[in-house]
Amino acid sequence: MTQYVWGYLDEYENERADILAAVDEVFRSGTLVLGPSVAAFEREFAAYHGVAHGVGVDNGTNAIVLGLRAIGVGAGDEVITVSNTAAPTVVAIDAVGATPVFVDVHEDTYLMRVDQVEAAITERTRCLLPVHLYGQCVDMTALEAVADKHGLPILEDCAQAHGATQRGRIAGSMGLAAAFSFYPTKVLGAYGDGGATITSDETVDAALRRLRYYGMEKVYHVVETPGYNSRLDEVQAEILRRKLTRLPDYLAGRRAVADRYREALSDTDLVQPATAEGNDHVYYVYVVRHPRRDRIIAALKERDIHLNISYPWPVHVQEGFRHLGVERGSLPVTERLAGEIFSLPMYPSLSRGAQDKVVDALRDVLATL
Ligand SMILES: *Cc1c(COP(=O)(O)O)cnc(C)c1O
């Protein structure tokens, strides 16, 4: 089976000596949890974003959970976000007892309709949670204007947007706090689970540090409940430190793959990714669109090419979120796009040969639809 989702095997071959050196360094350091590698990674990751603090956590979902808790979101509060996201965005909102409120998305960029946010605000709204989907930023200038007018904090979901910029500002530096995932497929991926929440706010930083450590302010003394054990592992942190220095190369690699797709598919009727004005896209996924998506996917599968869909179901139509009572039909663009989008293989070390094979098969299939 040609499995294109996990690009890390090629990467591991290229970076093996460095990854193994990271593991060895940690195992010989004498500290396996919350030691020097996590502290150094937190400083370096925060500095990369030009913010004051970074807090390493165990995954991206908990980076959002702790981010929400740290800015004071809890039971009975409403959080405005989108439904065309990785379910964990909304799982995290649900996990703190808050209610997600969805706005629709732009048909060309798949990003949050910021112009619909104000109408979704109620007296229970406590946070705006933009998702920088597929690798480019939501219009933050417009969102900040709404946030300022209503005195609402912004928590950015940056799980797909490491290194993405908008008019000279980097994703993760614009909200009160920002959540990242280092799941292996992400733009900056660990060799296992990992996440981080970053902020320049001292109070939010202190809350994040407590919450990931059982709710303790000092060792063995809980000051806040419910707490969590949500720590980033030393081994993952040391690997991430080394990979962070190569992030510019990963971004360049992804952009080169994207450029080749755009060129090679420009004369087909596939709708290719659109970059919103002012954005630099990092292409976490290369999402294309076609009304006969399911036929295309099935025909490629017969040729042993297995493509992914990010994501086949909007969150609000999923069984586990039925209790939200958000009706089908209420987010028309989100719902229609879910039936038409699919993702082409995308990672920095994707070889030209592998990419050509996908492009050729896809062109063949499109020609015979
Ligand atoms: C991956 C992802 C998450 C969750 O991250 P995990 O590390 O898998 O928990 C949250 N939001 C978005 C948009 C994601 O893509």
Side-chain angles (χ1 to χ4, degrees):
M1 182 176 118
T2 316
Q3 173 57 272
Y4 289 108
V5 177
W6 294 85
Y8 91 91
L9 281 174
D10 307 343
E11 180 195 277
Y12 184 57
E13 283 312 309
N14 297 337
E15 302 182 7
R16 186 157 174 261
D18 193 47
I19 302 296
L20 292 179
V23 175
D24 191 52
E25 185 181 317
V26 170
F27 285 180
R28 300 180 82 182
S29 75
T31 314
L32 297 175
V33 174
L34 291 190
S37 293
V38 167
F41 175 67
E42 290 176 341
R43 274 195 311 276
E44 291 156 5
F45 194 67
Y48 177 82
H49 293 91
V51 305
H53 309 286
V55 179
V57 298
D58 54 350
N59 57 63
T61 308
N62 284 339
I64 302 170
V65 168
L66 268 57
L68 288 168
R69 285 281 311 279
I71 63 182
V73 179
D77 295 334
E78 290 176 356
V79 176
I80 299 176
T81 191
V82 290
S83 182
N84 70 332
T85 181
T89 308
V90 185
V91 168
I93 295 169
D94 191 66
V96 303
T99 302
V101 174
F102 302 115
V103 296
D104 213 343
V105 297
H106 289 285
E107 178 153 9
D108 53 350
T109 60
Y110 314 130
L111 295 169
M112 174 184 251
R113 283 278 302 263
V114 174
D115 59 330
Q116 294 185 353
V117 169
E118 193 155 29
I121 294 174
T122 73
E123 71 244 11
R124 292 168 61 201
T125 307
R126 280 301 311 272
C127 180
L128 307 181
L129 205 168
V131 179
H132 301 319
L133 195 75
Y134 304 150
Q136 66 170 328
C137 294
V138 167
D139 183 350
M140 292 301 286
T141 315
L143 192 67
E144 284 162 342
V146 179
D148 288 349
K149 182 171 165 196
H150 293 268
L152 291 167
I154 296 175
L155 174 64
E156 301 176 68
D157 183 342
C158 296
Q160 306 191 354
H162 314 67
T165 60
Q166 181 170 81
R167 297 180 194 95
R169 296 196 295 169
I170 189 164
S173 68
M174 299 181 266
L176 175 60
F180 288 84
S181 165
F182 307 120
Y183 184 74
T185 62
K186 307 285 179 175
V187 176
L188 179 63
Y191 278 69
D193 277 311
T197 310
I198 67 175
T199 183
S200 285
D201 186 285
E202 304 287 324
T203 312
V204 172
D205 174 58
L208 291 168
R209 286 176 194 285
R210 276 197 304 274
L211 290 165
R212 75 157 169 197
Y213 194 70
Y214 316 113
M216 289 179 181
E217 198 117 82
K218 56 187 180 203
V219 179
Y220 302 143
H221 189 86
V222 170
V223 294
E224 183 176 0
T225 57
Y228 311 84
N229 174 353
S230 182
R231 302 178 292 239
L232 179 64
D233 186 89
E234 278 287 290
V235 171
Q236 300 304 340
E238 188 56 36
I239 292 171
L240 286 164
R241 286 187 71 197
R242 290 156 186 254
K243 288 191 67 176
L244 181 60
T245 65
R246 296 189 283 272
L247 182 53
D249 301 333
Y250 301 146
L251 301 183
R254 285 178 182 274
R255 286 174 177 142
V257 172
D259 287 348
R260 291 204 292 271
Y261 276 134
R262 193 174 299 281
E263 169 79 33
L265 297 167
S266 59
D267 59 341
T268 69
D269 57 354
L270 277 183
V271 179
Q272 300 215 51
T275 304
E277 204 200 312
N279 276 353
D280 272 319
H281 206 308
V282 297
Y283 297 104
Y284 168 58
V285 274
Y286 195 87
V287 173
V288 294
R289 178 152 57 95
H290 195 283
R292 306 184 72 184
R293 186 265 316 271
D294 292 341
R295 283 262 327 248
I296 297 169
I297 297 257
L300 286 168
K301 198 169 181 180
E302 277 170 24
R303 297 168 179 236
D304 208 27
I305 293 176
H306 301 261
L307 298 185
N308 204 36
I309 301 172
S310 307
Y311 299 92
W313 301 286
V315 173
H316 69 284
V317 308
Q318 296 176 28
E319 199 177 328
F321 291 105
R322 213 176 277 152
H323 64 279
L324 297 176
V326 180
E327 311 242 321
R328 254 181 214 272
S330 62
L331 299 165
V333 178
T334 296
E335 291 169 29
R336 183 159 47 78
L337 291 174
E340 298 185 355
I341 53 171
F342 60 106
S343 315
L344 304 185
M346 169 56 80
Y347 47 88
S349 55
L350 181 67
S351 71
R352 268 170 199 262
Q355 192 177 4
D356 287 346
K357 192 178 152 212
V358 174
V359 166
D360 292 346
L362 189 53
R363 291 184 61 90
D364 261 11
V365 166
L366 287 168
T368 57
L369 272 186

